[in-house]
C-alpha cells in the first residue's frame, strides 16, 4: 500500500504540473473546483490558534490552508514523498508545520494533545481502519473535534465499478467491498455504510455523518482515467446527472464525519 502512494501522491500526475508557487496554486484551484465542499467541511479558519493534526497530507493543499489560518500545525503521511512535497509547498509560501512520516495506526503523539484532527480520504486506505480511528480518539482532547472523510459504500462510483468489473465480466457475486478493494485506488481500499461508520466512531460523544456526491459519481471530471475506455466515454455523454442529484443525493462516494470526543 505504501508503495502505491510512493509512486505518486494523490492527484500528483493529473493536477500538479510545477513545484513552484504557481504550480501549487493551480493544483489547489483545481482541487477546490472539483471538491468545493472541502473548505466548508474542514473549517480551516476555526483551527486558528488551535493545535491541529492532519493525517495523510498528500500534496498538502489542505495543509497549506490550515497553516494560513494560523493553526499550531502538525501533519503526517505514510510516505516520504508526500511529506517532502508538503514541506516544499509550505516553504514556498513562508508557512510552517511539524511534518513527519507517520502511520495513522500508531500516532507518535501523547493522549489528549490535539484540539482538531483532520483527515481527507486517508484512513480507509489503512489496513486497520478501526485502529486509526481509535488513535484519532486517543490524541484528541476531550471536546476536541475530528473531521474525517472516508468512502461511502453505497455510491454511484461503487455501482459503476461493479457494473464494469463484476457484471460485465460475468462475476455478479463480487461484492462492493471487493470492488473497492481491487479497483478504486490503493489495493485494499475500504468503503463504509453510514451504520458501519456510526459503529466505527462509537467512542465519540457526538457524531455527525453526511454523504456527498462527487465529480466521480457525476462523471464531471477526468478523474477515473484508470478505468478509461469506450464504456466510460459513452457513460460521460449520457450520464443522467440531474436525475442522480434529484433521486440519489445520498449515494455519493464521500462520507463526511464530524466527531467530537
Ligand atoms: C488519497 S490520498 C489523500 C491525500 C490528501 N489528504 C488529499 O486529500 O489529497 C491518501 C494519502 O494517505 C496516505 N496514507 C495512507 N495510509 C496512511 C496511513 N496509515 N497513515 C498516514 N497516511 C496514510 C497516503 O500516503 C496518501 O498520501
Amino acid at each position: 500500500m505504501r508503495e502505491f502512494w510512493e509512486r505518486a501522491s494523490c492527484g500528483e500526475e493529473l493536477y500538479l504540473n510545477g513545484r513552484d508557487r504557481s504550480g501549487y496554486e493551480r493544483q489547489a484551484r483545481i482541487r477546490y473546483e472539483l471538491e468545493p465542499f472541502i473548505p466548508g467541511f474542514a473549517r480551516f479558519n476555526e483551527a486558528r490558534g488551535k493545535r491541529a493534526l492532519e493525517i495523510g497530507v498528500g500534496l498538502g493543499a489542505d495543509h497549506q490552508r490550515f497553516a494560513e489560518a494560523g493553526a499550531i500545525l502538525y501533519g503526517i503521511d505514510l510516505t516520504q514523498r508526500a511529506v517532502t512535497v508538503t514541506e516544499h509547498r509550505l516553504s514556498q509560501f513562508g508557512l510552517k508545520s511539524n511534518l513527519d512520516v507517520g502511520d495513522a495506526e500508531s500516532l507518535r503523539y501523547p493522549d489528549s494533545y490535539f484540539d482538531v484532527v483532520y483527515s481527507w480520504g486517508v484512513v480507509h486506505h489503512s489496513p486497520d481502519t478501526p485502529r486509526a480511528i481509535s488513535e484519532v480518539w486517543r490524541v484528541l482532547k476531550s471536546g476536541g473535534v475530528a473531521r474525517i472523510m472516508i468512502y461511502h459504500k453505497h455510491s454511484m462510483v461503487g455501482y459503476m465499478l461493479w457494473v464494469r468489473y463484476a457484471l460485465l465480466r460475468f462475476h455478479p457475486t463480487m461484492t462492493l467491498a471487493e470492488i473497492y478493494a481491487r479497483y478504486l485506488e490503493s489495493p485494499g481500499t475500504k468503503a463504509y455504510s453510514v451504520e458501519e461508520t456510526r459503529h466505527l466512531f462509537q467512542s465519540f460523544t457526538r457524531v455527525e455523518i453526511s454523504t456527498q456526491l462527487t465529480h466521480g459519481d457525476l462523471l464531471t471530471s477526468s478523474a477515473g482515467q484508470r478505468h478509461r475506455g469506450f464504456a466510460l466515454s459513452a457513460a460521460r455523454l449520457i450520464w443522467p446527472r440531474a436525475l442522480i442529484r434529484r433521486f440519489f443525493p445520498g449515494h455519493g462516494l464521500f462520507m463526511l464525519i464530524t466527531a467530537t470526543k
Side-chain angles (χ1 to χ4, degrees), residues 22 24-34 89:
S22 71
Y24 291 127
E25 277 163 357
R26 177 179 177 275
Q27 182 265 336
R29 195 177 60 250
I30 297 171
R31 176 181 181 80
Y32 300 123
E33 275 169 16
L34 286 175
R89 176 182 207 125

Side-chain angles (χ1 to χ4, degrees), residues 9-212:
S9 289
C10 205
E12 185 173 340
E13 284 159 350
L14 273 177
Y15 306 123
L16 188 67
N17 63 358
R19 286 171 195 239
D20 52 10
R21 284 173 71 115
S22 71
Y24 291 127
E25 277 163 357
R26 177 179 177 275
Q27 182 265 336
R29 195 177 60 250
I30 297 171
R31 176 181 181 80
Y32 300 123
E33 275 169 16
L34 286 175
E35 298 175 4
F37 35 80
I38 290 179
F41 173 69
R43 302 192 184 196
F44 300 114
N45 289 335
E46 285 184 20
R48 182 181 184 80
K50 296 191 175 154
R51 193 178 285 149
L53 169 68
E54 179 174 0
I55 298 175
V57 292
L59 296 179
D62 295 351
H63 209 62
Q64 179 179 344
R65 292 287 181 103
F66 279 115
E68 286 166 346
I72 304 159
L73 193 55
Y74 294 70
I76 63 158
D77 198 283
L78 196 57
T79 66
Q80 183 62 56
R81 186 183 189 98
V83 169
T84 303
V85 74
T86 300
E87 270 168 351
H88 183 257
R89 176 182 207 125
L90 294 195
S91 75
Q92 292 293 298
F93 293 89
L95 297 165
K96 289 223 169 346
S97 172
N98 302 283
L99 281 156
D100 264 313
V101 172
D103 186 346
E105 294 183 22
S106 54
L107 297 175
R108 278 186 249 114
Y109 308 103
D111 297 355
S112 307
Y113 195 60
F114 292 104
D115 301 291
V116 175
V117 176
Y118 172 77
S119 186
W120 186 265
V122 176
V123 293
H124 47 220
H125 297 300
S126 215
D128 191 344
T129 302
R131 186 168 162 174
I133 307 286
S134 72
E135 278 292 86
V136 170
W137 186 89
R138 182 183 68 73
V139 301
L140 270 176
K141 295 177 185 170
S142 174
V145 179
R147 298 185 198 284
I148 294 182
M149 185 279 275
I150 56 177
Y151 290 149
H152 176 218
K153 188 186 285 179
H154 301 114
S155 75
M156 301 307 298
V157 165
Y159 307 149
M160 277 187 271
L161 293 177
W162 184 82
V163 169
R164 167 111 196 227
Y165 294 103
L167 193 62
L168 296 180
R169 289 185 179 177
F170 306 105
H171 301 302
T173 55
M174 194 182 272
T175 62
L176 277 174
E178 289 174 85
I179 290 287
Y180 287 112
R182 291 176 62 177
Y183 299 108
L184 189 59
E185 279 175 317
S186 63
T189 297
K190 285 157 276 159
Y192 294 87
S193 67
V194 172
E195 296 69 36
E196 288 164 343
T197 304
R198 287 217 175 277
H199 185 70
L200 268 180
F201 284 82
Q202 63 186 340
S203 7
F204 289 78
T205 55
R206 213 171 104 220
V207 181
E208 291 159 43
I209 300 173
S210 62
T211 60
Q212 175 70 55

